[in-house]
């Protein structure tokens, strides 16, 4: 019987056995309105959602998070035709499923989060109308993604799977994740989704839900700081991060996180926070710790057990050829200290990581270290490849773009794919993409961030202009992409207003966006006319 109650683990061995089980009244986390941090589940420690220090998942470790459930499917077939057998799925639920199975809210997490929504979006989640995700009225479901180290099938579980036979973990698409979540929700008794909401990568999964299962997602959709298809800019940033990991898994993952941290913020946010201050180690007041940055020379978390005697570098060849020891590498990664990373960089002929001259360098080193303690390099590669497949305009039966080795670079649009004689047709891709957006029937709130450099505001304006029943809200923030994890109170209020049917301000309405677009086009036409006149 599937009972996703706090701490429950359900290992289903027969698909048929679940289809015959009644799951009316399924109960998830019990919410406490009086709890701190916006009503976190009782008996569950919440880190809150504040990402002002750069990591909204501080303290997390790999594996199924506390309070989540695990459903193990006998088999799951990916879009590419490859099979994951078995296929574990970690998920977290809150509230109670009604008898009709129609009060389902699907929440999609960001790239490096887990399924415990209360750990990273607590001001949005709680028991009562003051929360956008009201657990007193809804059955809230959040599943961990394929490729993630937090419980669902990934490179970590793949290496422990005797059926894998040394094969690398396959590429999983955004659409694969939606299909997998649909399978789990059907078994839980879901008949209708009244709200699908997500930020960043979560927005990609949310819009794919709306396009893949429009007959089920008949309620509202909220897309925050995302896009309808992954751009060349975003793919390039991900590839640069993957390239770092291919050189050395541990230091590469730290470097990838540093690159990502800069993309998650805006230049003004970094400049305002750090300016050109010298690092603590070089200042006369070096004994005074800098807020959020521990001294590399005095890592209080380091113990005698933190140093792994095996200092063999973990390179791409060991990552991808099946000889990578997950248990050994995770032990090293989780117990990494500044000295470990310092030694690793020196071994590879690089400047020591702890020789930071500026506060901003110390900050990045600190974030890199925290991340390698809680994440996995192969999983990071897998998840970023999943995002690169994202395109709601891609045909539902088209898996042609998925046939490549996980370590390969994305093919350029102008080159043939998979041996085809014809090059990628960008015009046809655009037509399919905009047609898919125009076909969306759900009432949709699109949220953008004014200073976002990863998924710029123009991408959200594009969604709002082409989705028929859309509204748009812009978070005015200098924090960049991470503002949706920082400015949560304002976001919560705006989502509540949208769900209650309140119109957004005229500045961000679809009508206003269309007017601004027309004015921009008219100005461009006039400029071209003046240029032609000058040339004549």
């Amino acid at each position: 019987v599937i009972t996703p109650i706090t701490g429950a683990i359900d290992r289903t061995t027969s698909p048929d056995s679940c289809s015959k089980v009644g799951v009316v009244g399924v109960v998830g986390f019990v919410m406490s309105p009086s709890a701190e941090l916006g009503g976190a589940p009782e008996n569950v420690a919440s880190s809150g959602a504040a990402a002002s220090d750069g990591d909204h998942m501080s303290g997390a470790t790999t594996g199924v998070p506390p309070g989540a459930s695990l459903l193990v499917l006998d088999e799951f077939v990916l879009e590419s035709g490859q099979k994951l057998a078995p296929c574990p799925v970690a998920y977290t639920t809150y509230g109670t499923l009604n008898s009709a199975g129609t009060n389902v809210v699907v929440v999609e997490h960001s790239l490096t989060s887990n399924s415990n929504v209360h750990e990273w979006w607590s001001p949005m989640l709680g028991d009562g109308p003051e929360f956008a995700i009201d657990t007193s009225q809804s059955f809230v479901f959040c599943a961990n993604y394929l490729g993630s180290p937090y419980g669902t099938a990934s490179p970590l579980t793949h290496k422990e799977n005797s059926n894998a036979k040394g094969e690398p973990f396959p590429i999983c698409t955004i659409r694969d994740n939606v299909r997998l979540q649909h399978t789990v929700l059907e078994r839980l008794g879901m008949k209708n989704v009244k709200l699908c909401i997500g930020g960043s990568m979560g927005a990609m999964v949310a819009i794919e839900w709306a396009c893949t299962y429009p007959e089920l997602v008949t309620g509202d959709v909220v897309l925050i700081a995302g896009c309808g298809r992954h751009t060349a800019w975003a793919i390039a940033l991900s590839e640069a991060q993957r390239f770092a990991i291919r050189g050395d898994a541990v230091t590469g993952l730290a470097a990838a996180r540093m690159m990502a941290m800069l993309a998650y913020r805006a230049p003004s946010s970094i400049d305002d926070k750090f300016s050109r201050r010298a690092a603590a180690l070089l200042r006369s007041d070096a004994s005074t710790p800098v807020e959020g940055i521990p001294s590399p020379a005095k890592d209080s978390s380091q113990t005698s057990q933190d140093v792994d005697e095996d200092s063999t570098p973990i390179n791409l060849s060991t990552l991808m050829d099946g000889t990578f020891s997950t248990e050994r590498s995770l032990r090293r990664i989780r117990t990494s200290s500044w000295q470990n990373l310092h030694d690793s960089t020196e071994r590879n002929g690089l400047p020591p990581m702890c020789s930071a001259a500026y506060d901003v360098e110390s900050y990045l080193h600190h974030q890199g270290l925290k991340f390698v303690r809680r994440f996995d390099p192969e999983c990071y590669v897998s998840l970023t490849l999943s995002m690169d497949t994202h395109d709601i305009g891609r045909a539902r039966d088209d898996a042609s773009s998925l046939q490549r080795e996980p370590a390969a670079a994305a093919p350029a649009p102008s080159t043939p794919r998979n041996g085809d004689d014809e090059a990628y047709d960008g015009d046809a891709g655009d037509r399919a993409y905009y047609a898919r957006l125009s076909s969306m029937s759900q009432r949709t709130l699109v949220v953008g961030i004014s200073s976002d450099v990863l998924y710029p505001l123009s991408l959200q304006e594009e969604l709002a202009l082409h989705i028929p029943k859309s509204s748009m809200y812009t978070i005015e923030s200098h924090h960049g992409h991470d503002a949706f994890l920082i400015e949560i109170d304002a976001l919560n209020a705006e989502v509540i207003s949208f769900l209650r049917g309140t119109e957004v301000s005229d500045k961000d309405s679809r009508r206003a966006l269309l007017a601004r677009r027309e004015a921009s086009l008219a100005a461009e036409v006039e400029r071209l006319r003046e240029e032609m006149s000058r040339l004549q």
Side-chain angles (χ1 to χ4, degrees):
V1 178
I2 300 179
T3 52
I5 306 173
T6 303
I9 294 182
D10 174 58
R11 297 184 177 274
T12 302
T13 56
S14 170
D16 293 336
S17 66
C18 272
S19 62
K20 299 175 183 177
V21 176
V23 289
V24 172
V26 169
V27 178
F29 270 125
V30 176
M31 305 302 293
S32 174
S34 60
E36 292 184 358
L37 297 173
E42 292 179 336
N43 304 318
V44 177
S46 172
S47 63
S52 58
D53 72 338
D55 192 352
H56 60 287
M57 292 288 294
S58 297
T61 58
T62 57
V64 181
S69 298
L70 186 69
L71 171 66
V72 180
L73 303 175
D74 285 341
E75 175 182 286
F76 182 73
V77 181
L78 302 171
E79 276 196 277
S80 62
Q82 293 174 280
K83 298 179 180 179
L84 297 176
C87 180
V89 189
Y91 65 94
T92 306
T93 62
Y94 307 80
T96 303
L97 184 67
N98 64 19
S99 59
T102 57
N103 67 331
V104 176
V105 171
V106 176
V107 180
E108 302 294 349
H109 64 73
S110 60
L111 175 67
T112 64
S113 302
N114 61 22
S115 61
N116 279 353
V117 182
H118 63 275
E119 292 185 15
W120 40 269
W121 240 6
S122 58
M124 297 273 288
L125 175 79
D127 189 352
E130 66 271 27
F131 298 99
I133 306 171
D134 183 358
T135 57
S136 68
Q137 302 296 319
S138 306
F139 178 68
V140 182
F141 171 89
C142 182
N144 184 228
Y145 300 146
L146 290 162
S148 172
Y150 297 124
T152 296
S154 72
L156 295 182
T157 64
H158 196 64
K159 289 187 177 297
E160 300 171 358
N161 182 3
S162 60
N163 297 329
K165 300 177 181 178
E167 293 293 323
F169 188 71
I171 293 178
C172 303
T173 69
I174 295 295
R175 199 168 296 166
D176 283 329
N177 278 285
V178 170
R179 292 172 47 247
L180 180 63
Q181 292 177 24
H182 174 260
T183 299
V184 176
L185 278 169
E186 272 199 326
R187 295 187 174 199
L188 294 177
M190 177 272 299
K191 302 299 181 184
N192 177 265
V193 175
K194 74 173 189 176
L195 171 64
C196 196
I197 180 173
S200 193
M201 183 179 181
M204 303 177 203
V205 185
I207 193 172
E208 186 62 58
W209 253 106
C211 294
T212 302
Y213 297 108
E215 74 283 0
L216 294 177
V217 186
T218 58
D220 298 324
V221 176
V222 178
L223 310 173
I224 305 165
C227 55
R229 55 181 174 180
H230 222 214
T231 63
W233 166 250
I235 292 171
L237 289 173
S238 294
E239 176 59 14
Q241 294 166 35
R242 291 191 292 261
F243 196 84
I245 293 172
R246 290 166 193 160
D248 181 273
V250 178
T251 56
L253 182 61
R257 182 60 171 179
M258 293 181 201
M259 285 186 264
M261 291 300 300
L262 296 176
Y264 296 156
R265 293 304 178 100
S268 61
S269 176
I270 296 295
D271 290 341
D272 290 348
K273 185 176 180 69
F274 299 104
S275 185
R276 287 180 52 81
R277 289 194 306 273
L281 288 179
L282 302 182
R283 294 207 309 261
S284 59
D285 63 340
S287 59
T288 303
V290 179
E291 182 180 357
I293 305 174
S295 170
K298 298 180 180 180
D299 184 355
S300 60
S301 64
Q302 185 176 6
T303 66
S304 59
Q305 288 78 31
D306 284 343
V307 180
D308 195 326
E309 294 179 358
D310 183 358
S311 59
T312 304
I314 305 171
N315 296 311
L316 178 63
S317 59
T318 58
L319 278 174
M320 306 309 297
D321 66 6
T323 63
F324 175 70
S325 171
T326 299
E327 181 179 356
R328 177 175 61 83
S329 66
L330 280 181
R331 185 171 68 253
R332 287 176 57 198
I333 290 171
R334 288 170 180 166
T335 59
S336 289
S337 68
W338 284 109
Q339 190 62 45
N340 296 141
L341 292 179
H342 173 270
D343 292 344
S344 179
T345 51
E346 279 196 331
R347 187 169 58 244
N348 288 281
L350 300 173
M353 282 191 68
C354 63
S355 61
Y358 299 96
D359 273 357
V360 68
E361 292 177 310
S362 293
Y363 171 78
L364 290 175
H365 296 175
H366 176 57
Q367 294 303 327
L369 172 60
K370 285 203 302 182
F371 193 63
V372 298
R373 282 175 167 167
R374 77 167 179 89
F375 219 77
D376 174 80
E378 288 183 279
C379 290
Y380 195 85
V381 169
S382 178
L383 285 168
T384 57
L385 287 170
S386 290
M387 288 196 298
D388 290 352
T389 70
H390 176 51
D391 182 357
I392 61 169
R394 180 169 58 81
R396 301 286 121 177
D397 57 353
D398 175 21
S400 62
S401 62
L402 315 179
Q403 305 299 325
R404 63 175 176 136
E405 291 299 316
S414 59
T415 59
R417 298 177 298 172
N418 309 314
D420 295 340
D421 292 329
E422 296 182 1
Y424 171 69
D425 188 343
D427 290 339
D430 286 346
R431 287 194 296 272
Y433 172 64
Y434 293 123
R436 182 65 64 180
L437 287 176
S438 298
S439 70
M440 287 181 60
S441 58
Q442 299 89 353
R443 204 172 68 99
T444 304
L445 175 64
V446 181
V447 179
I449 300 166
S450 60
S451 56
D452 196 338
V453 296
L454 179 58
Y455 301 116
L457 192 61
S458 59
L459 295 178
Q460 290 85 56
E461 291 179 341
E462 177 181 74
L463 296 178
L465 284 168
H466 290 88
I467 297 174
K469 300 177 182 179
S470 66
S471 299
M472 184 165 174
Y473 168 65
T474 301
I475 299 175
E476 298 291 344
S477 172
H478 78 294
H479 288 303
H481 183 69
D482 262 358
F484 82 96
L485 293 169
I486 298 174
E487 313 281 1
I488 308 181
D489 290 337
L491 177 62
N492 180 64
E494 190 65 30
V495 174
I496 288 175
S497 295
F498 168 75
L499 296 177
R500 291 176 180 172
T502 305
E503 292 295 326
V504 297
S505 64
D506 186 66
K507 178 177 73 70
D508 286 325
S509 69
R510 189 165 182 263
R511 182 177 62 256
L513 288 173
L514 286 170
R516 288 206 297 271
R517 176 64 63 88
E518 290 176 0
S520 176
L521 290 174
E524 180 65 14
V525 169
E526 184 61 28
R527 187 190 68 79
L528 290 174
R529 284 176 177 169
E530 292 177 356
E531 183 67 15
M532 290 176 64
S533 176
R534 185 184 68 81
L535 292 174
Q536 290 174 353

